[in-house]
Structure formats: structure tokens, C-alpha cells
Amino acid sequence: MTTTAAYADAQTLAGTDLGWSEWLEVTQDRVNLFADATDDHQWIHVDPERAKDGPFGGPIAHGFLSLSLTVKFWSELFDLEGVGTKVNYGLDKVRFVSPVKVGDRVRMNAVIAEVTEVPGGYQFAVDQTIEIDGGTKPAVVARGLYRFYA
């Protein structure tokens, strides 16, 4: 469910837990498309037959593919109304804790940790955790930095 807030209320949002996004299945097609986009065709990602005998028992998503899903999940979880421009400003403290296997379902929790004023707008520091359905450890833990300009 999307949390919607007004731009005028941005500074009051620090500490807000936005909950969980919808589940998303990571398919081999998605992994292959990411491999094509990044020219990273390592066999643990794109060769399901060979990957069966690899360290993970099958193909896994690229760590950066798992991380890139934060963009999709973030837009599911939060919208700031009255904004002219939204920018992904960067990331802090990124960790790939557990591999995401092809066929796994993942989702993200987001907590707005900090809101700071920047020239012309606000920067949100958001603690993001991508979990794997049935997993014991998260797939990705990162702090996303997002800027919103009026």
C-alpha cells in the first residue's frame, strides 16, 4: 500500500515505517535482460544447467539486479504530492546479504530514517530491506537517498 504525503509535510516524515511492498518473483527472463543490459553474462546468472552444479544449486540474480528493484518497490511504497521533480540521489551502506535464486519472491520494507532540507527541496534517507520469501536473512540492505524538488 502506498503512503502518500504532501510536500509541505516532508520534514515530519522521519521515522515513518512505510511497510512492505508487494511480492515480486525473480524470473530467469528478468535475470537475462539484466545480464544483457549490463554485459554481465556470468554463468551463475544466465546458464541454468551449469548453475545447477554451482555453489547456489541454480542460477541467481545479479546483486545489482536485486538492488535495482528498490526503485520499483520504493515507488510502490511512497509518493510525495506537490513535487515537480523526483531524483534517485544515491545509496549508502549497501550489502548483498543473501543471494536471490531464480524463482524466489522478494519484497521490500522501507523506513524513512532522515529528512533534510537541500537547496530547492528535501533529501530523504530511507533504510531499505529486501527480503526473500521464506529466507532467514535479507537479500539486500541499503540506505537509499532520494531528493524531492518543488
Side-chain angles (χ1 to χ4, degrees):
M1 176 169 231
T2 304
T3 297
T4 303
Y7 182 80
D9 297 328
Q11 289 185 306
T12 68
L13 297 171
T16 302
D17 185 336
L18 301 173
W20 291 94
S21 69
E22 295 295 320
W23 288 106
L24 173 74
E25 182 179 347
V26 177
T27 64
Q28 187 64 56
D29 285 342
R30 184 180 293 268
V31 171
N32 291 346
L33 286 169
F34 191 85
D36 290 343
T38 60
D39 286 331
D40 181 354
H41 294 94
Q42 187 179 26
W43 62 269
I44 63 172
H45 306 301
V46 299
D47 187 341
E49 285 305 311
R50 184 174 176 194
K52 285 180 188 176
D53 296 325
F56 306 106
I60 60 168
H62 304 73
F64 285 110
L65 167 56
S66 299
L67 178 64
S68 73
L69 294 174
T70 61
V71 175
K72 173 195 175 6
F73 294 142
W74 171 240
S75 66
E76 284 181 26
L77 292 173
F78 185 72
D79 186 36
L80 194 61
E81 294 179 332
V83 173
T85 304
K86 302 173 184 179
V87 178
N88 294 318
Y89 186 69
L91 297 160
D92 285 338
K93 303 176 186 174
V94 177
R95 297 292 181 267
F96 302 115
V97 181
S98 295
V100 175
K101 296 178 182 179
V102 168
D104 280 347
R105 293 185 336 143
V106 295
R107 67 179 181 173
M108 185 178 85
N109 173 259
V111 176
I112 300 171
E114 299 173 11
V115 178
T116 54
E117 199 165 347
V118 296
Y122 294 101
Q123 177 171 296
F124 285 48
V126 181
D127 292 333
Q128 303 168 132
T129 303
I130 295 180
E131 75 169 359
I132 302 166
D133 192 11
T136 58
K137 295 181 185 176
V140 179
V141 177
R143 177 167 278 196
L145 303 175
Y146 303 96
R147 289 199 171 175
F148 297 90
Y149 299 97

